[in-house]
Amino acid sequence: MTALSQAEPGRDCPLCPRLHDFIAEWRQREPSWFNAPVPTFLPPQGEDTVQLLIVGLAPGLRGANRTGRPFTGDYAGDLLYSTLIAHGFARGEFKARPDDGLELVGTAITNAVRCVPPENKPVGAEIATCRTFLVPTIARFPKLRAVLALGSIAHQSTVRALGGRVAAYPFKHGGQLPAGGIALFSSYHCSRYNTNTGVLTEEMFVNVFSEIAAFLRK
């Protein structure tokens, strides 16, 4: 089995029955949607150029589950991709479609859980099971220097994927900790709920990327 096949679940991955059944239901309801584990979004120059990996929680039902590209089709992507473009981690124009021509630069984007969960809430067993893909995803980037985890669940799963103990790496917005030979950055998730409630402001989010950009320039 290749590293790529280990890092990406198959279209009909059966490892989490609840998620598998939920996707099957939506394939019946919306056959034109992607409705499958969402693959890691890579830069066109390839995985050898990736220095920053962004780890989200899971695909949104009408976002990445519909379009097949992480953070594409819902509000979270509007904020994420505009910030990536502003800091040189992406180029082009984000139009919330996988064919919009937007390209990542030295950056890859994945999710801690690759399949859409009911009510956007994966359970612990599903998070742990999907870490069997997150571990080789992290390992596939030989020049990786930084990981940004969006939200506490993605943070905790990333810590475990890097071989650390969650208690030793507490989640904190704007946090930066050395873990597994790389720098682990953390941010509140860029969801509409978090921005509408003031948990995360655009300035707070932009500041995290400014710190990452400064770190990668060293």
Side-chain angles (χ1 to χ4, degrees), residues 58-142:
L61 177 61
R62 291 174 172 80
N65 178 67
R66 175 175 60 85
T67 64
R69 190 176 74 180
F71 292 90
T72 300
D74 53 23
Y75 171 79
D78 295 343
L79 179 55
L80 175 61
Y81 286 111
S82 66
T83 307
L84 287 173
I85 292 169
H87 287 81
F89 293 117
R91 60 182 171 225
E93 185 177 355
F94 177 67
K95 298 180 180 178
R97 305 191 316 267
D99 62 349
D100 57 14
L102 181 132
E103 296 180 345
L104 298 177
V105 179
T107 303
I109 305 175
T110 196
N111 280 305
V113 176
R114 303 298 178 88
C115 293
V116 58
E119 300 179 351
N120 291 323
K121 294 178 180 178
V123 300
E126 293 161 351
I127 299 166
T129 296
C130 214
R131 201 153 47 246
T132 61
F133 300 107
L134 181 58
V135 170
T137 293
I138 294 172
R140 69 190 285 193
F141 303 119

Side-chain angles (χ1 to χ4, degrees), residues 31-52:
S32 65
W33 289 9
F34 185 76
N35 286 321
V38 175
T40 302
F41 185 22
L42 299 170
Q45 290 79 15
E47 58 191 33
D48 287 353
T49 66
V50 172
Q51 291 189 304
L52 170 64

Side-chain angles (χ1 to χ4, degrees), residues 172-215:
K172 175 186 176 184
H173 176 80
Q176 176 186 345
L177 294 166
I182 63 169
L184 174 59
F185 292 83
S186 301
S187 170
Y188 292 129
H189 195 283
C190 49
S191 66
R192 183 181 292 276
Y193 176 82
N194 280 348
T195 55
N196 281 352
T197 58
V199 170
L200 178 70
T201 65
E202 183 174 347
E203 181 181 9
M204 290 166 63
F205 197 60
V206 167
N207 285 344
V208 170
F209 278 89
S210 296
E211 292 177 4
I212 294 172
F215 170 81

